[in-house]
């Protein structure tokens, strides 16, 4: 992500700020300019109070460009729900920052060629017999469902440990689930489908059975030689989603690193990672940066920021994802 400063006093700002702590100016993020602007005289998103959304409302609308995709939101009268939902909305705005940077299609209704991109943020429900009906995170026909329990750090960490994952974040969930949506938009019924199947495998394989098998047996031991994560081996759709999310991690991670002058192992060559000429240029720049940041994390006793190794087949898959996204920016 780019770096933000106060338009009044040039103080450093975070993406989530709604004001400047130095000069007191009320600020909002304007998704049309991808920058912080004075909020005076402008309409804030209607989720400003309830979900800490700091974006401006779309012209003539109640909600911002990210919040208007919400179909169901949790009962935010319950403070625990509100806090979890607000954490999820911040991750969603991070997601939208990247989607807007790439100019990817973001339909809000079903009138165009693709289904609307929509979000259900739900809580587990307990039925009359006291049985809990768990909400499962997933994507179907443009609708992304997320259990807001994931917005609780302890809960998410417990799930990460139970699943044996090196990495479990809200923005990671967002990037993974939206990837399933962009498979529908950019791959299904397009010329890209054949190449996608050559790289990721035949997605006509029964999805439910494949996931059951994955949860029963785990990933093959040699998964790092062909996949970006163990979960990516569950089904070709999951491989696509994990790889797409990974591409978002690298591109946005590199933009942030460069915005702060972190330039490990790189000469003078700089480019906009969102307009990268190919996947390899991003990988070449990102890997030394990630090694440096991992080393800093280790020196402070933290786990690696970027606990991944990219094999040649994964790089081919990342190149395919780059090829799908890049034309939208033109
Ligand atoms: Zn200021
Ligand atoms: Zn909003
Ligand atoms: Zn998935």
């Amino acid at each position: 992500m780019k770096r933000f400063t106060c338009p009044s006093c040039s103080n450093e700002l975070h993406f989530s700020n709604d004001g400047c702590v130095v000069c007191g100016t009320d600020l909002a993020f304007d998704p049309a300019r991808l920058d912080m602007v004075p909020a005076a005289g402008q309409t804030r998103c209607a989720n400003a109070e309830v979900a800490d959304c700091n974006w401006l409302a779309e012209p003539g609308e109640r909600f911002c460009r990210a919040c208007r995709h919400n179909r169901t939101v949790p009962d935010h009268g319950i403070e625990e729900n509100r806090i979890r939902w607000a954490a999820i909305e911040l991750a969603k705005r991070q997601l939208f920052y990247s989607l807007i940077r790439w100019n990817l299609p973001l339909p809000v209704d079903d009138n165009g060629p693709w289904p609307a991109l929509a979000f259900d943020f739900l809580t587990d429900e307990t039925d009359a017999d006291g049985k809990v009906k768990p909400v499962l995170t997933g994507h179907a026909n443009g609708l992304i469902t997320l259990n807001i329990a994931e917005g609780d750090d302890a809960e998410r960490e417990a799930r990460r440990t139970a699943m044996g994952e090196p990495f479990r974040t809200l923005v990671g969930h967002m990037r993974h689930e939206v990837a399933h949506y962009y498979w529908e938009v950019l791959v299904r019924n397009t010329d890209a489908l054949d190449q996608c199947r050559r790289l990721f495998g035949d997605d006509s394989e029964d999805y439910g059975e494949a996931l059951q098998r994955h949860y029963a047996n785990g990933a093959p031991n040699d998964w790092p030689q062909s996949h970006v994560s163990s979960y990516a081996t569950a089904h070709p759709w999951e491989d696509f989603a994990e790889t797409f999310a990974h591409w978002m991690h690298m591109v946005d991670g590199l933009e942030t690193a460069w915005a702060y002058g972190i330039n490990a192992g790189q000469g003078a060559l700089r480019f906009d990672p969102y307009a990268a000429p190919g996947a390899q240029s991003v990988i070449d720049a990102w890997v030394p940066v990630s090694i440096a940041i991992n080393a800093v994390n280790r020196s402070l006793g933290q786990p690696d920021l970027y606990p991944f190794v990219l094999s040649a087949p994964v790089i081919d898959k990342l190149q395919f994802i780059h090829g799908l996204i890049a034309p939208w920016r033109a």
Side-chain angles (χ1 to χ4, degrees):
M1 187 170 294
K2 61 189 267 199
R3 194 172 179 178
F4 303 102
T5 54
C6 174
S8 300
C9 76
S10 302
N11 178 49
E12 178 101 29
L13 296 173
H14 296 297
F15 180 60
S16 57
N17 283 152
D18 61 2
C20 175
V21 292
V22 170
C23 72
T25 305
D26 263 348
L27 299 169
F29 183 82
D30 181 355
R33 294 167 56 184
L34 290 171
D35 211 350
M36 292 290 178
V37 297
Q42 310 250 43
T43 307
R44 284 188 183 274
C45 173
N47 280 342
E49 290 295 320
V50 291
D52 304 338
C53 180
N54 66 335
W55 284 23
L56 292 179
E58 286 296 276
E61 307 237 5
R62 289 184 61 219
F63 293 105
C64 73
R65 202 179 284 193
C67 291
R68 69 177 173 171
H69 290 267
N70 291 351
R71 196 184 76 159
T72 313
V73 300
D75 177 1
H76 44 79
I78 300 168
E79 183 62 6
E80 180 185 76
N81 287 351
R82 197 198 78 77
I83 291 168
R84 291 174 175 193
W85 178 39
I88 289 165
E89 287 294 348
L90 174 57
K92 183 164 132 263
R93 292 196 300 281
Q94 266 184 275
L95 169 71
F96 271 73
Y97 170 86
S98 299
L99 302 179
I100 293 167
R101 288 283 266 116
W102 274 317
N103 197 32
L104 284 168
L106 289 168
V108 286
D109 56 42
D110 294 326
N111 301 333
W114 309 294
L117 174 63
F119 294 83
D120 274 357
F121 298 122
L122 306 176
T123 50
D124 289 337
E125 300 216 344
T126 311
D127 67 17
D129 309 330
K131 254 178 68 187
V132 177
K133 248 182 66 191
V135 172
L136 296 180
T137 294
H139 164 269
N141 302 319
L143 178 65
I144 290 170
T145 302
L146 191 73
N147 188 332
I148 66 155
E150 288 280 343
D152 181 72
D153 290 344
E155 180 67 38
R156 192 176 56 258
E157 181 62 13
R159 291 178 187 204
R160 186 190 72 76
T161 311
M163 311 278 260
E165 296 169 343
F167 198 86
R168 190 176 181 95
T169 64
L170 292 175
V171 75
H173 284 317
M174 288 292 170
R175 289 170 175 168
H176 175 104
E177 296 308 329
V178 91
H180 288 305
Y181 177 71
Y182 285 112
W183 187 90
E184 300 284 339
V185 169
L186 305 177
V187 178
R188 187 193 286 278
N189 303 327
T190 75
D191 294 345
L193 182 60
D194 282 346
Q195 204 203 343
C196 190
R197 285 181 169 165
R198 275 197 295 278
L199 288 166
F200 295 87
D202 182 2
D203 55 87
S204 65
E205 177 192 2
D206 187 277
Y207 181 71
E209 280 175 21
L211 287 198
Q212 265 181 11
R213 194 173 57 241
H214 176 76
Y215 287 122
N217 305 335
N221 285 333
D222 61 352
W223 68 260
Q225 275 139 53
S226 49
H227 293 77
V228 75
S229 70
S230 62
Y231 184 59
T233 63
H235 186 275
W237 284 338
E238 296 310 325
D239 192 13
F240 180 88
E242 287 287 274
T243 311
F244 189 105
H246 202 89
W247 179 241
M248 298 192 81
H249 293 335
M250 286 198 304
V251 168
D252 204 56
L254 184 60
E255 183 179 59
T256 306
W258 280 352
Y260 285 86
I262 301 168
N263 200 29
Q266 269 289 99
L269 184 67
R270 289 280 189 104
F271 52 88
D272 175 356
Y274 281 92
Q280 194 63 53
S281 58
V282 169
I283 293 164
D284 290 346
W286 169 246
V287 168
V289 166
S290 70
I291 291 169
I293 299 175
N294 284 351
V296 173
N297 273 20
R298 287 176 185 209
S299 76
L300 299 180
Q302 297 281 358
D304 282 356
L305 172 87
Y306 183 75
F308 300 99
V309 175
L310 302 176
S311 63
V314 168
I315 293 172
D316 289 343
K317 294 175 195 178
L318 289 165
Q319 181 59 41
F320 174 78
I321 304 279
H322 169 269
L324 283 181
I325 294 174
W328 290 90
R329 246 191 135 263

